[in-house]
Amino acid sequence: MTAVPYHLNLVGGEWVDGERRPNTGAARPDEVVSEYARAGRETARAAIEAARGAQPDWARQPVGYRMELLDRVGSAILDRVEELAVLLAREEGKLLGEARGEVTRAGQTFRYYAHQLLQPSGEVYPSTRDRVHAEVRRRPLGVIGIITPWNYPMAIPAWKVAPALAYGNTVVLKPAELVPASAGELARIITAAGLPPGVFNLVMGAGGEVGDELLTSTGVDGISFTGSTGTGAQVAHQCLTHGNKRFQLEMGGKNPLVVLDDAELAVAVRCALDGSFFSSGQRCTASSRLIVQAGIHDRFVAALAEATDALRVGDPLDPTSQLGPVVSPGQLAQNLDYVRVGLAEGARVVAGGAHRPDEGQFMRPTLFAGARNDMRLAREEIFGPVACVIRVDDLDEAIDVANDTPYGLSAGIVTGSLSAAERFKRDARAGIVSVNLPTAGTELHLPFGGTGASNHGPREQGGYARDFYSVPVTCYTGW
Ligand code: NAD
């Protein structure tokens, strides 16, 4: 048997062992992609202490120094796109092409924040008093605990770690347990780039232990969390009851894509196919509710069902595959449960639906028609390649249905009408609105986040990330 990489925790610049665990791949659950050292509370405590110790010096370094190091991390990631993408595809099951895109995004994100450091910082105000100078400065928040999900194992850690470090904070990263190798490689790259010990720490372990230690420790000043809405509620509770920590939550979605009668059919099908099923539907911005006007409804359902059935589900490393596996046996079981729920609620499967045990985690994308927005199928986040079509009469009803959800991350419309598009941008209750594009495409320099049960706290990404990772300090100087 060939040796697989063994990923250790990183604490204060030292590689720290833990309980040796196999990390199995999504496409072949019997294939060990790597091993990792599973840590517990003690390692988390040591990492927090290391981050505390390193923070003042890191914050005091000239901007040019932090900029150089972050740029080096970004460049090192971009130099290794192919290798890291293969790892990500094997570990998480994303198609190699999608994995390349994700790794590239991670590298670009580090470089983006390196250069953000040259943007103006703080503001000068006129004072109402004579001979007083009034200004708002920014200081780092301090030690940041970063808790991430499995579905973007490179990009999400990058879009939290890079701004946290850029604005002078130090970090303890706790990745999802399904994807330790991606985080382990990121830690190796950050270490090789020459960051001082303790500035970036990695602790791999259970949410209820390592994650909870970050939430309850007095040594942590802020928590940036991405994951499910249920876990997010626990994160909020712990942060509020343990030192009133600042926290930022990016959570689940049940995103609508509206298709109006005047939509170009091919565009509508392309947006739905990508938004609902690509990355096996495992995107928080996936469009799992397709809200379709009566006049185009039957043509749209027929065309989308045909395109869905034609998708080639297969090995993520095979360039002809269009959909990979779902991430884990647990996720597959949840997806198939929702297929049963949808059928029991009276919706009709028009593509996919069936699954044989010998297909492993390769689930066929499944499209339901005849759904209603009050069905569980349409209300609960499934996080798999399952979408449902809801028929509506007009734009008013479409917007009402789109907004009738506890979530509010991303919403899309496909229409040829400028006024319908403008109306939707105004009235859709979501943090991201797309017109004639899939709900799932976002760019790294623009704010990312939702409303309702999808979000709490300031936006991530772009210049907006500064709002979470730094604290405004109002200064008055008499002269
Ligand atoms: P999850 O909530 O199960 O886990 C997320 C992270 O929280 C993991 O690292 C986990 O170990 C940790 N965790 C679990 N329990 C914890 C606890 N009690 N205390 C501290 N940490 C704990 O989510 P997941 O299954 O990894 O990811 C899928 C979810 O993430 C979906 O709901 C998806 O919509 C969401 N997501 C949201 C966004 C966004 O930006 N809005 C992006 C990607 C994924």
Side-chain angles (χ1 to χ4, degrees):
M1 193 178 111
T2 38
V4 292
Y6 182 37
H7 290 103
L8 299 170
N9 302 285
L10 179 63
V11 177
E14 303 287 331
W15 296 106
V16 175
D17 214 338
E19 182 196 340
R20 197 170 182 129
R21 285 276 185 110
N23 167 30
T24 53
R28 299 176 203 83
D30 50 352
E31 177 195 44
V32 177
V33 174
S34 70
E35 293 177 311
Y36 72 105
R38 189 172 199 251
R41 285 187 185 269
E42 205 176 306
T43 309
R45 278 197 283 270
I48 294 166
E49 206 179 304
R52 269 249 78 83
Q55 200 273 326
D57 261 8
W58 177 246
R60 273 184 224 122
Q61 292 296 335
V63 155
Y65 174 76
R66 293 206 300 271
M67 184 178 166
E68 165 64 26
L69 289 179
L70 291 180
D71 194 63
R72 237 185 260 166
V73 173
S75 302
I77 295 173
L78 293 173
D79 284 347
R80 291 176 51 189
V81 167
E82 196 57 29
E83 174 205 340
L84 295 171
V86 169
L87 172 69
L88 200 162
R90 289 175 65 212
E91 180 172 55
E92 195 260 355
K94 203 162 272 169
L95 293 184
L96 187 55
E98 292 172 330
R100 279 191 197 108
E102 176 174 346
V103 175
T104 303
R105 173 69 67 100
Q108 288 169 340
T109 298
F110 273 94
R111 292 179 73 169
Y112 172 82
Y113 284 105
H115 294 274
Q116 271 297 108
L117 282 174
L118 298 182
Q119 291 300 312
S121 165
E123 300 120 43
V124 174
Y125 285 81
S127 171
T128 53
R129 291 175 282 176
D130 193 27
R131 294 169 70 91
V132 170
H133 175 72
E135 64 187 313
V136 179
R137 294 174 163 229
R138 294 251 162 198
R139 71 168 159 73
L141 182 53
V143 172
I144 312 285
I146 292 180
I147 302 178
T148 52
W150 49 262
N151 67 327
Y152 282 96
M154 286 273 170
I156 294 182
W159 82 49
K160 293 177 186 291
V161 171
L165 297 180
Y167 297 120
N169 306 280
T170 53
V171 160
V172 180
L173 168 65
K174 192 219 89 63
E177 284 211 88
L178 286 172
V179 287
S182 297
E185 289 302 324
L186 183 63
R188 288 179 183 187
I189 288 171
I190 290 178
T191 304
L195 266 80
V199 168
F200 171 84
N201 304 275
L202 170 71
V203 186
M204 298 171 286
E209 276 183 62
V210 173
D212 190 65
E213 190 61 37
L214 295 174
L215 306 180
T216 53
S217 167
T218 51
V220 174
D221 301 293
I223 293 287
S224 182
F225 165 86
T226 298
S228 61
T229 298
T231 309
Q234 296 175 43
V235 170
H237 175 79
Q238 293 293 59
C239 285
L240 289 169
T241 48
H242 292 85
N244 192 23
K245 282 186 190 65
R246 181 183 280 209
F247 56 95
Q248 169 186 61
L249 313 173
E250 285 303 337
M251 301 173 283
K254 193 71 190 176
N255 308 294
L257 176 74
V258 169
V259 178
L260 294 186
D261 284 349
D262 61 12
E264 214 178 292
L265 186 63
V267 174
V269 170
R270 208 165 50 235
C271 289
L273 204 63
D274 175 326
S276 303
F277 301 129
F278 288 5
S279 296
S280 301
Q282 299 174 149
R283 296 185 285 191
C284 50
T285 48
S287 36
S288 45
R289 291 185 297 142
L290 306 170
I291 299 165
V292 184
Q293 200 174 357
I296 196 172
H297 177 274
D298 292 357
R299 281 182 295 135
F300 173 80
V301 169
L304 181 60
E306 191 184 332
T308 302
D309 273 336
L311 285 174
R312 283 186 301 278
V313 183
D315 191 312
L317 296 175
D318 179 345
T320 65
S321 300
Q322 292 172 296
L323 225 65
V326 300
V327 72
S328 65
Q331 185 63 52
L332 175 70
Q334 176 171 312
N335 299 346
L336 296 175
D337 260 359
Y338 273 107
V339 173
R340 285 188 280 276
V341 165
L343 287 168
E345 286 178 312
R348 193 171 84 250
V349 168
V350 291
H355 186 78
R356 298 189 315 269
D358 67 312
E359 290 172 312
Q361 281 164 222
F362 293 92
M363 177 180 173
R364 292 241 27 108
T366 297
L367 180 66
F368 280 93
R372 285 190 326 269
N373 202 48
D374 61 357
M375 293 176 172
R376 284 182 60 202
L377 184 64
R379 299 205 79 73
E380 296 172 14
E381 185 183 47
I382 300 173
F383 221 55
V386 181
C388 63
V389 178
I390 301 165
R391 183 200 291 254
V392 291
D393 286 331
D394 54 26
L395 178 61
D396 287 336
E397 189 185 355
I399 292 175
D400 286 348
V401 171
N403 289 342
D404 178 15
T405 172
Y407 296 106
L409 183 52
S410 189
I413 188 166
V414 187
T415 177
S417 155
L418 186 59
S419 75
E422 287 302 318
R423 176 82 211 279
F424 193 74
K425 284 192 272 182
R426 188 190 69 189
D427 293 342
R429 272 203 302 274
I432 302 163
V433 178
S434 307
V435 178
N436 295 333
L437 288 170
T439 53
T442 62
E443 300 184 23
L444 69 88
H445 60 303
L446 295 171
F448 179 92
T451 59
S454 296
N455 163 274
H456 180 94
R459 288 283 180 264
E460 298 203 83
Q461 303 194 45
Y464 281 66
R466 196 183 67 159
D467 291 344
F468 180 72
Y469 294 107
S470 66
V471 180
V473 182
T474 310
C475 304
Y476 299 104
T477 310
W479 54 280

